Amino acid sequence: MKNIFRYLFCAWLVVAGMEVKANPLFGNQTLLNDEWSFVLSDDSALPSENAGWSQVQLPHDWSVKGLLSPDRASCTGYLPGGIGWYKKNVFVPDSMSGQKQYLYFEGVYNRSEVYINGHLLGKRPNGYISFVYDLTPYLNFGKDNQIAVRVDHSRSADSRWYTGSGIYRNVYWITAEETHIEPWSYYVYPESVTPGKGLLRISLNIENEMATARKLVVRNTLVSPDNKVVASNKSKVSVAAGGLSSYSATLPVKNPQCWSVKSPCLYTLKTVVEDSRGNVVDCATIKTGFRTFRFDPDTGFSLNGESMKVKGVCLHHDAGVLGAAVPREVMKRRLMTLKEIGCNAVRTSHNPQAPDLYDLCDEIGLLVMNEAFDEWEFPKRKWIDGWNVGIPGFQGSTDFFEEWGVRDMEDFVKRDRNHLCVFAWSIGNEVDYPNDPYSHPVLDSIMNEGFTQASFGGYKKDAPDAMRLGDIAKRLAAAVKRYDTTRPVTAGLAGVAMSNRTEYPAALDITGYNYTESRYEYDHAKYPRRVIFGSENRHDFEAWKAVRDNEYIFGQFLWTGIDYLGESGSWPSRGFYSGLLDFGGNIKPRGYFRQALWADRPVAYLGTYPAPGYGHVSNLNKDVWMQLEEAAGKSDEAPSMDAWPIWNYKEGQIIRVVCYTNAPQSYLLLNDERVGAVKPYDDKTGIIHWDIPYRPGKLEVVGLDEVGNEIVRHAIRSSRRPHAIVAVHADKTIPIDGVAQIQIQVVDEEGVPVMLSDNLVKCSIAGPATLLGLEASDNADMGDYTDNLQRVFNGQLWAYVRADGAGKIRVRFSAEWLQDCEVEIESY
């Protein structure tokens, strides 16, 4: 550690392609993820050296490494919580004694306490909020200094979904001069964009902890996406001894390139603070740019003056076997796949996510509805024995909301407000769920009010009064507006009919409706100034048509974009599996169905299953809502959006072949022969289907335009016995501490994927690397995903391999009776 604290002064020129870290935007940051020690222990004081410490690398989530067990809570995926301690020694040289030293945590779940040399720096109960501590008064310069972090997730069922446990995001050591930019005060946004001109607003606070006043110069340099300096300026600033000075300036730019979801143009802004002799005092660099957006109650949403529908998904923050400690590379692949489907927006359900997500959405071109809370002052039901099954628990984060809620909201906004991708702040999700916990007399007239969600009975006089919602919403909205007035405040309303009797909707700039499409038309007429959108929606075609066919509804956010741990069904069930992508980030059939609705290019997909009355369809491939509807006898024979690309059945068995496409008409080929009629696009279900007798071979759909020209086709094939393992995706080079992602598939002798394969695969590694886990994405497999043995699901799985040093890494996959597969990776 002795050599990592060289003070790196800011260079004047912005280097093309330089990495811009997500941080409090002051000082110089050093990543502090290596060589931590960890122990599970409920001691209130730091455990002794013989307590069983093990070495870990951050980010670290201890829960996902625990054993799945039916005696744990279904809400968090049958995985454990507990109390853990982390510690690390850092040598701080004497040469740093004249500077300020800080620790920055991107996120610790949860109820953390941070110590330096035995001194308590502070506590942060919210596990999703980033925070900074000043270490300087408690450091021993020229010696080792011990950082210790206690993480209390003993209330393991404190969320409706899997949260993870531990220091599950990055940690940085920050060195700054006694005069420096105040943490998170650096704020840059496009103040105006008009034809031929853009104006960038820059503001920050300079903190002077010296005993003398300072005369300073602030220089700004803006570099375009093609690495050209397009604007610069400088200003003089004076800061009193022990004082704080505010600075604000604008940078005009001619003909700016606007950021959009189709063309995410990012500029690089470097701000340097110098003393009167030109010495660098502090600096900050961010990605920024230009874009405008507008919300209208009648015409919906426009970006840079162009009307568009928001095609969004709700996302939790885990990634299957990786838990909550998701590497940036994995997160990027998943987001890129969502964009490939046609997604253009993400809702962070229901909490702030890792800074990497916002950086990537800026880079990729995904809008972000940034959400802060799932509950406020009272806890919601947390299901213990399965989703909406049995007797719920009521652990949660509500015990610290009154003390921390507004501060958490403010810190959340200050951290993320520089991201162009963020286009709205959500202050809450379903905090108005009827009788969970709030109640109102309108619940006694539920049949006349259009409620679409369970209300757990009528009006309950002893429950919290729903009229309280308005006051809290106003307080949180004000917290947002103190630090950002450029974006609207919103929330996801579950009990719209109840909330309409309160001041809650009036505290919002735009209003999200969760699963309440039936009220769109009625409320648009009753509240003509209200901007309405689907903040959480099921995947059914009617919910999308409510957006597509109504100009005043600007978009929807599907529940959910990716399968996630927790909110599980009854054992065995790892999590909630209605995603467009599975736990490993593979596109599921409903992802291809959504692509047919959202994509702006011709697409087609074939899936199959036994026609109704001609065979059994497994529930394992269905989302929990479909299973609940079937149990209640509400299912019908409409073609499914969950048909897998399998063409292996009994000869002559009648099979339903479904096609998800945006082609105006399509026909079907079996072994190059026409089967069935040419069928037009079905605007009732969004799905074309044929019922045909099975014959092995190649099944293919051909999509045509309006006049019969071929525009797209997709084929699936019958497979033979499993023969070999092949790598269908493998990262060839990764940096040290980077994570390689390898996807394997079981194929037959002709290379056709064997979707029905469930072979047990062993992963062996030679070289400087660690296997983080194997993810096959089977929701019902409750085994150990973190060891080196895993059954494939749908014939495939992903391996995540972290490079621990430089050199060649060989990863071998083997299974009985199958040909092995080896992948070579170079780490640098």
Coordinates of all heavy atoms in Angstrom, one line a residue, residues 75 109 126 128-129 157-163 314-317 347-352 370-383 387 393 395-398 400-401 405 408-409 412 426-433 436-438 453 469 472 476 490-494 504 514-515 535-536 559 564 567:
C75 N -38.7 -13.9 0.5 CA -38.6 -12.5 -0.1 C -37.2 -12.2 -0.5 O -37.0 -11.4 -1.5 CB -39.1 -11.5 0.9 SG -38.3 -11.5 2.5
Y109 N -24.4 -2.8 2.4 CA -25.8 -3.2 2.8 C -25.6 -4.1 4.0 O -25.1 -5.2 4.0 CB -26.5 -4.0 1.7 CG -28.0 -4.0 1.9 CD1 -28.8 -3.0 1.4 CD2 -28.6 -4.9 2.8 CE1 -30.1 -3.0 1.6 CE2 -29.9 -4.8 3.1 CZ -30.7 -3.9 2.5 OH -32.0 -3.8 2.8
N126 N -28.9 3.2 5.6 CA -29.4 2.8 4.2 C -28.3 2.2 3.4 O -27.3 2.7 3.1 CB -29.9 4.1 3.5 CG -30.7 3.8 2.3 OD1 -30.3 2.9 1.5 ND2 -31.7 4.6 2.0
Y128 N -28.1 1.5 0.3 CA -28.1 1.8 -1.1 C -27.4 3.2 -1.4 O -27.2 3.6 -2.5 CB -29.4 1.8 -1.8 CG -30.1 0.5 -1.7 CD1 -31.3 0.2 -1.0 CD2 -29.6 -0.6 -2.5 CE1 -31.9 -1.0 -1.0 CE2 -30.2 -1.8 -2.5 CZ -31.3 -2.0 -1.7 OH -31.9 -3.3 -1.7
I129 N -27.2 3.9 -0.3 CA -26.7 5.3 -0.4 C -25.2 5.4 -0.3 O -24.5 4.7 0.5 CB -27.3 6.2 0.7 CG1 -28.8 6.3 0.5 CG2 -26.7 7.6 0.7 CD1 -29.3 6.9 -0.8
A157 N -34.7 -10.4 6.4 CA -36.0 -10.3 5.6 C -36.5 -8.8 5.6 O -37.7 -8.6 5.8 CB -37.0 -11.2 6.1
D158 N -35.6 -7.9 5.4 CA -35.9 -6.5 5.5 C -36.3 -5.9 4.1 O -36.5 -4.7 4.0 CB -34.8 -5.7 6.1 CG -33.5 -5.7 5.2 OD1 -33.5 -6.5 4.3 OD2 -32.6 -4.9 5.5
S159 N -36.5 -6.7 3.1 CA -36.8 -6.2 1.8 C -37.7 -7.2 1.1 O -37.7 -8.4 1.4 CB -35.5 -6.0 1.0 OG -35.8 -5.6 -0.4
R160 N -38.4 -6.7 0.1 CA -39.3 -7.6 -0.7 C -38.5 -8.4 -1.8 O -39.1 -9.2 -2.4 CB -40.4 -6.8 -1.3 CG -41.3 -6.1 -0.3 CD -42.5 -5.5 -1.0 NE -42.2 -4.5 -1.9 CZ -42.9 -4.2 -3.0 NH1 -43.9 -5.0 -3.4 NH2 -42.5 -3.2 -3.8
W161 N -37.2 -8.1 -1.9 CA -36.4 -8.7 -2.9 C -35.0 -9.0 -2.3 O -34.7 -8.5 -1.2 CB -36.3 -7.9 -4.2 CG -35.7 -6.5 -3.9 CD1 -34.4 -6.2 -3.8 CD2 -36.4 -5.3 -3.6 NE1 -34.2 -4.8 -3.5 CE2 -35.5 -4.3 -3.4 CE3 -37.8 -5.1 -3.5 CZ2 -35.9 -3.0 -3.0 CZ3 -38.2 -3.8 -3.2 CH2 -37.2 -2.8 -2.9
Y162 N -34.1 -9.6 -3.1 CA -32.8 -9.9 -2.6 C -32.0 -8.6 -2.6 O -31.9 -7.9 -3.6 CB -32.1 -10.9 -3.5 CG -30.7 -11.2 -3.1 CD1 -30.4 -12.1 -2.1 CD2 -29.6 -10.6 -3.8 CE1 -29.1 -12.4 -1.7 CE2 -28.3 -10.9 -3.4 CZ -28.1 -11.8 -2.4 OH -26.8 -12.0 -2.0
T163 N -31.3 -8.4 -1.5 CA -30.5 -7.1 -1.3 C -29.0 -7.4 -1.4 O -28.2 -6.5 -1.8 CB -30.8 -6.5 0.0 OG1 -30.4 -7.4 1.1 CG2 -32.3 -6.1 0.1
C314 N -38.1 -2.3 -15.5 CA -37.7 -2.1 -14.1 C -36.6 -3.1 -13.8 O -36.6 -4.3 -14.3 CB -38.9 -2.5 -13.1 SG -40.3 -1.4 -13.4
L315 N -35.5 -2.7 -13.1 CA -34.4 -3.5 -12.8 C -34.0 -3.5 -11.4 O -33.9 -2.4 -10.7 CB -33.2 -3.0 -13.6 CG -33.1 -3.3 -15.1 CD1 -31.7 -2.8 -15.6 CD2 -33.4 -4.7 -15.5
H316 N -33.9 -4.7 -10.8 CA -33.2 -4.8 -9.5 C -31.7 -4.9 -9.7 O -31.2 -4.8 -10.9 CB -33.7 -6.0 -8.7 CG -35.0 -5.8 -8.0 ND1 -35.2 -4.8 -7.2 CD2 -36.2 -6.5 -8.1 CE1 -36.4 -4.8 -6.7 NE2 -37.1 -5.8 -7.3
H317 N -30.9 -5.0 -8.7 CA -29.5 -4.7 -8.8 C -28.6 -6.0 -8.7 O -27.4 -5.9 -8.7 CB -29.0 -3.7 -7.7 CG -29.2 -4.2 -6.3 ND1 -30.5 -4.3 -5.7 CD2 -28.3 -4.7 -5.4 CE1 -30.3 -4.8 -4.5 NE2 -29.1 -5.1 -4.3
R347 N -35.8 1.7 -15.1 CA -36.3 2.3 -13.8 C -35.5 1.5 -12.7 O -35.5 0.3 -12.7 CB -37.8 2.1 -13.7 CG -38.3 2.5 -12.3 CD -39.8 2.2 -12.2 NE -40.4 2.5 -11.0 CZ -41.3 1.7 -10.4 NH1 -41.8 0.6 -11.0 NH2 -41.8 2.0 -9.2
T348 N -34.9 2.2 -11.8 CA -34.0 1.5 -10.8 C -35.0 1.1 -9.7 O -35.1 1.8 -8.7 CB -32.9 2.5 -10.3 OG1 -33.5 3.6 -9.6 CG2 -32.0 2.9 -11.4
S349 N -35.5 0.0 -9.8 CA -36.5 -0.5 -8.8 C -35.8 -1.3 -7.7 O -35.2 -2.3 -7.9 CB -37.5 -1.4 -9.5 OG -36.8 -2.4 -10.3
H350 N -36.0 -0.8 -6.5 CA -36.7 0.4 -6.1 C -35.7 1.2 -5.2 O -36.1 1.6 -4.1 CB -38.0 0.2 -5.4 CG -38.9 -0.7 -6.2 ND1 -39.6 -0.2 -7.3 CD2 -39.4 -1.9 -6.1 CE1 -40.3 -1.1 -7.8 NE2 -40.2 -2.2 -7.1
N351 N -34.5 1.4 -5.7 CA -33.4 2.0 -4.9 C -32.3 2.5 -5.8 O -32.2 2.1 -6.9 CB -32.9 0.9 -3.9 CG -32.5 -0.4 -4.7 OD1 -33.3 -1.3 -4.7 ND2 -31.3 -0.4 -5.3
P352 N -31.5 3.4 -5.3 CA -30.3 3.8 -6.0 C -29.4 2.6 -6.3 O -29.3 1.7 -5.5 CB -29.6 4.8 -5.1 CG -30.7 5.3 -4.1 CD -31.6 4.1 -4.0
N370 N -34.7 7.3 -12.0 CA -33.9 7.0 -10.8 C -34.8 7.0 -9.5 O -35.3 8.1 -9.2 CB -32.8 8.0 -10.7 CG -31.5 7.5 -10.1 OD1 -31.4 6.3 -9.9 ND2 -30.6 8.3 -9.8
E371 N -34.9 5.9 -8.9 CA -35.8 5.7 -7.8 C -35.1 5.5 -6.5 O -34.0 4.9 -6.4 CB -36.7 4.5 -8.1 CG -37.9 4.4 -7.2 CD -39.0 3.6 -7.8 OE1 -38.9 2.3 -7.8 OE2 -39.9 4.2 -8.4
A372 N -35.7 6.1 -5.4 CA -35.0 6.1 -4.1 C -35.5 5.1 -3.1 O -34.7 4.5 -2.4 CB -35.1 7.5 -3.5
F373 N -36.8 4.9 -3.0 CA -37.4 4.2 -1.9 C -38.5 3.2 -2.3 O -39.3 3.5 -3.2 CB -38.0 5.1 -0.8 CG -37.0 6.1 -0.2 CD1 -37.2 7.5 -0.5 CD2 -35.9 5.8 0.5 CE1 -36.4 8.4 0.0 CE2 -35.1 6.7 1.0 CZ -35.3 8.0 0.8
D374 N -38.6 2.1 -1.5 CA -39.8 1.2 -1.7 C -40.8 1.4 -0.5 O -41.9 1.0 -0.6 CB -39.3 -0.2 -1.8 CG -40.4 -1.2 -2.1 OD1 -41.1 -1.0 -3.1 OD2 -40.6 -2.1 -1.3
E375 N -40.3 2.0 0.5 CA -41.2 2.2 1.7 C -40.7 3.5 2.4 O -39.5 3.8 2.3 CB -41.3 1.0 2.6 CG -40.0 0.5 3.2 CD -40.2 -0.8 3.9 OE1 -41.2 -1.5 3.7 OE2 -39.3 -1.1 4.7
W376 N -41.6 4.1 3.1 CA -41.3 5.4 3.8 C -41.3 5.1 5.3 O -40.4 4.4 5.9 CB -42.2 6.5 3.4 CG -42.1 7.0 2.0 CD1 -41.0 6.7 1.2 CD2 -43.0 7.8 1.3 NE1 -41.2 7.3 0.0 CE2 -42.4 8.0 0.0 CE3 -44.2 8.4 1.6 CZ2 -43.1 8.8 -1.0 CZ3 -44.9 9.1 0.6 CH2 -44.3 9.3 -0.7
E377 N -42.3 5.6 6.0 CA -42.4 5.6 7.4 C -42.9 4.3 8.0 O -42.7 4.0 9.2 CB -43.2 6.8 8.0 CG -44.6 6.7 7.4 CD -45.5 7.9 7.9 OE1 -45.0 8.5 8.9 OE2 -46.6 8.1 7.4
F378 N -43.6 3.5 7.2 CA -44.1 2.2 7.8 C -43.7 1.0 6.9 O -43.6 1.2 5.7 CB -45.7 2.3 7.8 CG -46.2 3.3 8.8 CD1 -46.8 4.5 8.3 CD2 -46.1 3.1 10.1 CE1 -47.3 5.4 9.1 CE2 -46.6 4.1 11.0 CZ -47.2 5.2 10.5
P379 N -43.5 -0.1 7.4 CA -43.0 -1.3 6.6 C -44.2 -1.9 5.8 O -45.3 -1.8 6.2 CB -42.5 -2.3 7.7 CG -43.3 -2.0 8.9 CD -43.6 -0.5 8.9
K380 N -43.8 -2.6 4.7 CA -44.7 -3.3 3.9 C -44.6 -4.8 4.3 O -43.7 -5.2 5.0 CB -44.3 -3.2 2.4 CG -44.5 -1.8 1.9 CD -44.1 -1.8 0.4 CE -44.3 -0.5 -0.2 NZ -43.8 -0.4 -1.6
R381 N -45.5 -5.6 3.7 CA -45.4 -7.0 3.9 C -44.2 -7.6 3.2 O -43.8 -7.2 2.1 CB -46.7 -7.7 3.3 CG -47.9 -7.5 4.1 CD -49.1 -8.0 3.3 NE -50.3 -8.0 4.1 CZ -51.1 -6.9 4.3 NH1 -50.8 -5.8 3.8 NH2 -52.2 -7.1 5.1
K382 N -43.5 -8.5 3.9 CA -42.3 -9.2 3.3 C -42.7 -10.7 3.4 O -42.8 -11.3 4.5 CB -41.0 -8.9 4.1 CG -40.8 -7.5 4.5 CD -40.6 -6.6 3.3 CE -40.1 -5.2 3.6 NZ -40.8 -4.5 4.6
W383 N -42.9 -11.3 2.3 CA -43.4 -12.7 2.3 C -42.2 -13.7 2.6 O -41.1 -13.6 2.1 CB -44.0 -13.0 0.9 CG -45.2 -12.2 0.6 CD1 -45.2 -11.1 -0.2 CD2 -46.4 -12.3 1.3 NE1 -46.5 -10.5 -0.1 CE2 -47.2 -11.2 0.8 CE3 -47.0 -13.1 2.2 CZ2 -48.5 -11.0 1.1 CZ3 -48.3 -12.9 2.6 CH2 -49.1 -11.9 2.1
W387 N -44.1 -16.1 -2.6 CA -44.7 -14.8 -3.0 C -46.2 -14.8 -2.8 O -46.9 -15.6 -3.3 CB -44.4 -14.6 -4.5 CG -44.6 -13.2 -5.0 CD1 -44.0 -12.1 -4.6 CD2 -45.6 -12.8 -5.9 NE1 -44.5 -11.0 -5.3 CE2 -45.5 -11.4 -6.1 CE3 -46.6 -13.6 -6.7 CZ2 -46.4 -10.8 -7.0 CZ3 -47.4 -12.9 -7.5 CH2 -47.3 -11.5 -7.7
G393 N -43.8 -11.1 7.0 CA -43.0 -10.4 8.0 C -43.0 -8.9 7.8 O -43.5 -8.5 6.7
Q395 N -40.1 -6.7 8.8 CA -38.8 -6.1 8.9 C -38.7 -5.1 7.8 O -39.4 -5.2 6.7 CB -37.7 -7.1 8.8 CG -37.7 -8.0 10.0 CD -36.5 -9.0 9.9 OE1 -35.8 -9.1 8.9 NE2 -36.4 -9.9 10.9
G396 N -37.8 -4.1 7.9 CA -37.7 -3.1 6.9 C -36.7 -2.0 7.2 O -35.9 -2.2 8.2
S397 N -36.8 -0.9 6.5 CA -35.9 0.2 6.7 C -36.6 1.4 7.3 O -36.0 2.5 7.4 CB -35.3 0.7 5.4 OG -36.3 1.0 4.4
T398 N -37.9 1.2 7.8 CA -38.7 2.3 8.2 C -38.2 2.9 9.5 O -38.6 4.0 9.9 CB -40.1 1.9 8.3 OG1 -40.2 0.7 9.2 CG2 -40.6 1.5 6.9
F400 N -35.5 4.0 10.4 CA -34.5 5.1 10.3 C -35.0 6.1 9.2 O -34.3 7.1 8.9 CB -33.1 4.7 10.0 CG -32.9 3.8 8.7 CD1 -32.9 4.3 7.5 CD2 -32.7 2.4 8.9 CE1 -32.7 3.5 6.4 CE2 -32.6 1.6 7.8 CZ -32.6 2.2 6.5
F401 N -36.2 6.0 8.7 CA -36.7 6.9 7.6 C -36.8 8.3 8.1 O -36.5 9.3 7.5 CB -38.0 6.4 7.0 CG -38.5 7.3 5.9 CD1 -38.0 7.3 4.7 CD2 -39.5 8.2 6.2 CE1 -38.5 8.1 3.7 CE2 -40.0 9.1 5.3 CZ -39.5 9.0 4.0
G405 N -34.4 9.9 5.9 CA -35.1 9.9 4.6 C -34.7 11.1 3.7 O -34.3 10.9 2.6
D408 N -31.0 11.0 2.8 CA -30.7 10.0 1.8 C -31.2 10.5 0.4 O -30.5 10.3 -0.6 CB -31.4 8.7 2.2 CG -30.8 7.9 3.3 OD1 -29.6 8.2 3.6 OD2 -31.5 7.1 3.9
M409 N -32.3 11.1 0.4 CA -32.8 11.7 -0.9 C -31.9 12.7 -1.4 O -31.6 12.7 -2.6 CB -34.2 12.3 -0.6 CG -35.0 12.6 -1.9 SD -35.8 11.1 -2.6 CE -35.3 11.3 -4.3
F412 N -28.6 11.1 -2.7 CA -28.9 10.4 -3.9 C -28.9 11.3 -5.1 O -28.3 11.0 -6.1 CB -30.3 9.7 -3.6 CG -31.0 9.2 -4.8 CD1 -30.4 8.3 -5.7 CD2 -32.3 9.6 -5.0 CE1 -31.2 7.8 -6.8 CE2 -33.1 9.1 -6.1 CZ -32.5 8.2 -7.0
S426 N -37.6 9.4 -8.9 CA -38.8 8.8 -8.2 C -38.6 8.8 -6.7 O -37.6 8.2 -6.3 CB -39.0 7.4 -8.8 OG -40.0 6.8 -8.0
I427 N -39.5 9.3 -6.0 CA -39.4 9.4 -4.5 C -39.9 8.2 -3.8 O -39.8 8.0 -2.6 CB -40.0 10.7 -4.0 CG1 -41.5 10.7 -4.3 CG2 -39.3 11.9 -4.5 CD1 -42.2 11.9 -3.7
G428 N -40.6 7.3 -4.6 CA -41.1 6.1 -3.9 C -41.9 5.2 -4.9 O -42.3 5.6 -5.9
N429 N -42.0 3.9 -4.4 CA -42.7 2.9 -5.2 C -43.7 2.2 -4.3 O -43.4 1.7 -3.3 CB -41.7 1.8 -5.7 CG -42.5 0.6 -6.2 OD1 -43.1 0.7 -7.2 ND2 -42.4 -0.5 -5.5
E430 N -45.0 2.3 -4.8 CA -46.1 1.6 -4.1 C -46.2 1.8 -2.6 O -46.6 1.0 -1.9 CB -46.0 0.1 -4.4 CG -46.1 -0.2 -5.9 CD -46.2 -1.7 -6.2 OE1 -45.9 -2.5 -5.4 OE2 -46.6 -2.0 -7.4
V431 N -45.7 3.0 -2.2 CA -45.9 3.3 -0.8 C -47.4 3.5 -0.5 O -47.8 3.6 0.7 CB -45.1 4.6 -0.4 CG1 -43.6 4.3 -0.5 CG2 -45.5 5.8 -1.2
D432 N -48.2 3.6 -1.5 CA -49.7 3.8 -1.4 C -50.4 2.5 -1.6 O -51.6 2.5 -1.9 CB -50.2 4.9 -2.3 CG -50.0 4.5 -3.8 OD1 -49.1 3.8 -4.1 OD2 -50.7 5.1 -4.6
Y433 N -49.8 1.4 -1.5 CA -50.4 0.1 -1.7 C -51.6 0.0 -0.7 O -51.4 0.2 0.5 CB -49.5 -1.1 -1.6 CG -49.9 -2.3 -2.3 CD1 -49.1 -2.8 -3.4 CD2 -51.0 -3.0 -1.9 CE1 -49.5 -3.9 -4.1 CE2 -51.4 -4.2 -2.6 CZ -50.6 -4.6 -3.7 OH -51.0 -5.7 -4.3
D436 N -51.4 -1.6 2.8 CA -50.0 -2.2 2.9 C -49.0 -1.0 2.8 O -48.3 -1.0 1.8 CB -49.7 -3.3 1.9 CG -48.4 -4.0 2.2 OD1 -47.9 -3.9 3.3 OD2 -47.9 -4.7 1.2
P437 N -49.0 -0.1 3.8 CA -49.8 -0.1 5.0 C -50.9 0.9 5.1 O -51.7 0.8 6.1 CB -48.7 0.3 6.0 CG -47.9 1.3 5.3 CD -47.9 0.9 3.9
Y438 N -51.0 1.8 4.2 CA -52.0 2.9 4.4 C -53.4 2.5 4.0 O -53.6 1.7 3.1 CB -51.6 4.1 3.6 CG -50.3 4.8 4.0 CD1 -49.1 4.4 3.4 CD2 -50.2 5.7 5.0 CE1 -47.9 5.0 3.8 CE2 -49.0 6.3 5.4 CZ -47.9 5.9 4.8 OH -46.7 6.4 5.3
Q453 N -55.2 -3.9 -7.9 CA -54.4 -4.7 -7.1 C -55.1 -5.1 -5.8 O -56.1 -4.5 -5.5 CB -53.1 -3.9 -6.7 CG -52.2 -3.6 -8.0 CD -50.8 -3.4 -7.6 OE1 -50.3 -3.8 -6.6 NE2 -50.1 -2.7 -8.5
L469 N -49.6 10.6 3.1 CA -48.8 10.5 2.0 C -48.4 11.8 1.3 O -47.3 12.0 0.9 CB -49.5 9.6 0.9 CG -49.7 8.1 1.3 CD1 -50.7 7.4 0.4 CD2 -48.3 7.4 1.2
I472 N -45.5 13.7 3.2 CA -44.2 13.1 3.0 C -43.7 13.3 1.6 O -42.5 13.6 1.4 CB -44.2 11.6 3.4 CG1 -44.6 11.4 4.8 CG2 -42.9 10.9 3.1 CD1 -44.9 9.9 5.2
L476 N -40.1 15.1 0.4 CA -39.1 14.4 -0.4 C -38.9 15.2 -1.8 O -37.8 15.3 -2.3 CB -39.5 13.0 -0.7 CG -39.5 12.1 0.5 CD1 -40.0 10.7 0.2 CD2 -38.1 12.0 1.1
T490 N -41.3 12.1 -9.6 CA -42.4 11.2 -9.9 C -42.4 10.1 -8.8 O -41.6 10.2 -7.8 CB -42.2 10.5 -11.2 OG1 -43.3 9.7 -11.5 CG2 -40.9 9.6 -11.3
A491 N -43.3 9.2 -8.9 CA -43.4 8.0 -8.0 C -44.3 7.0 -8.7 O -45.0 7.3 -9.6 CB -44.0 8.4 -6.7
G492 N -44.2 5.7 -8.3 CA -45.0 4.7 -8.8 C -46.2 4.4 -7.9 O -46.0 3.9 -6.8
L493 N -47.4 4.8 -8.3 CA -48.6 4.7 -7.5 C -49.2 3.3 -7.7 O -49.5 2.9 -8.8 CB -49.6 5.8 -7.8 CG -49.1 7.2 -7.7 CD1 -50.2 8.2 -7.9 CD2 -48.3 7.5 -6.4
A494 N -49.4 2.6 -6.6 CA -50.1 1.3 -6.7 C -51.6 1.5 -6.4 O -52.4 0.8 -7.0 CB -49.5 0.3 -5.7
Y504 N -51.0 13.5 -2.5 CA -49.8 12.8 -3.0 C -49.5 13.1 -4.5 O -48.5 13.5 -4.9 CB -50.0 11.3 -2.7 CG -48.8 10.4 -3.1 CD1 -47.5 10.9 -3.4 CD2 -48.9 9.0 -3.1 CE1 -46.4 10.1 -3.7 CE2 -47.9 8.2 -3.4 CZ -46.6 8.7 -3.7 OH -45.6 7.9 -4.0
N514 N -48.9 2.0 -11.5 CA -48.4 0.6 -11.5 C -49.6 -0.3 -11.7 O -50.6 -0.3 -10.9 CB -47.8 0.3 -10.1 CG -46.4 0.8 -10.0 OD1 -46.0 1.7 -10.7 ND2 -45.7 0.3 -9.0
Y515 N -49.6 -1.0 -12.9 CA -50.6 -2.0 -13.2 C -52.0 -1.4 -13.2 O -53.0 -2.0 -12.7 CB -50.6 -3.2 -12.2 CG -49.2 -3.7 -12.0 CD1 -48.5 -3.5 -10.9 CD2 -48.6 -4.5 -13.0 CE1 -47.2 -4.0 -10.7 CE2 -47.3 -5.0 -12.9 CZ -46.6 -4.7 -11.7 OH -45.4 -5.2 -11.5
S535 N -45.6 3.2 -14.8 CA -44.3 3.1 -14.0 C -44.0 1.6 -13.7 O -42.9 1.3 -13.4 CB -44.4 3.9 -12.8 OG -45.6 3.7 -12.1
E536 N -45.0 0.7 -13.8 CA -44.8 -0.7 -13.6 C -45.9 -1.4 -14.3 O -47.1 -1.2 -14.0 CB -44.6 -1.0 -12.1 CG -44.1 -2.4 -11.9 CD -43.7 -2.6 -10.4 OE1 -43.1 -1.7 -9.9 OE2 -44.1 -3.6 -9.8
W559 N -42.4 -5.1 -15.6 CA -41.9 -5.8 -14.5 C -41.7 -7.3 -15.0 O -42.7 -8.0 -15.1 CB -42.9 -5.8 -13.3 CG -42.2 -6.3 -12.1 CD1 -42.2 -7.6 -11.6 CD2 -41.3 -5.6 -11.3 NE1 -41.4 -7.7 -10.5 CE2 -40.8 -6.4 -10.3 CE3 -40.9 -4.2 -11.3 CZ2 -40.0 -6.1 -9.3 CZ3 -40.0 -3.8 -10.3 CH2 -39.6 -4.7 -9.3
Y564 N -34.6 -11.8 -11.3 CA -33.8 -11.4 -10.1 C -34.1 -12.3 -8.9 O -35.1 -12.9 -8.8 CB -34.1 -9.9 -9.7 CG -35.6 -9.7 -9.4 CD1 -36.0 -9.7 -8.0 CD2 -36.5 -9.3 -10.3 CE1 -37.3 -9.5 -7.7 CE2 -37.8 -9.1 -10.0 CZ -38.2 -9.2 -8.7 OH -39.6 -9.0 -8.4
E567 N -38.2 -12.2 -3.9 CA -39.6 -12.2 -4.2 C -40.0 -13.6 -4.8 O -40.7 -13.7 -5.8 CB -40.0 -11.1 -5.2 CG -40.5 -9.9 -4.5 CD -41.1 -8.8 -5.4 OE1 -40.4 -8.3 -6.2 OE2 -42.3 -8.5 -5.2

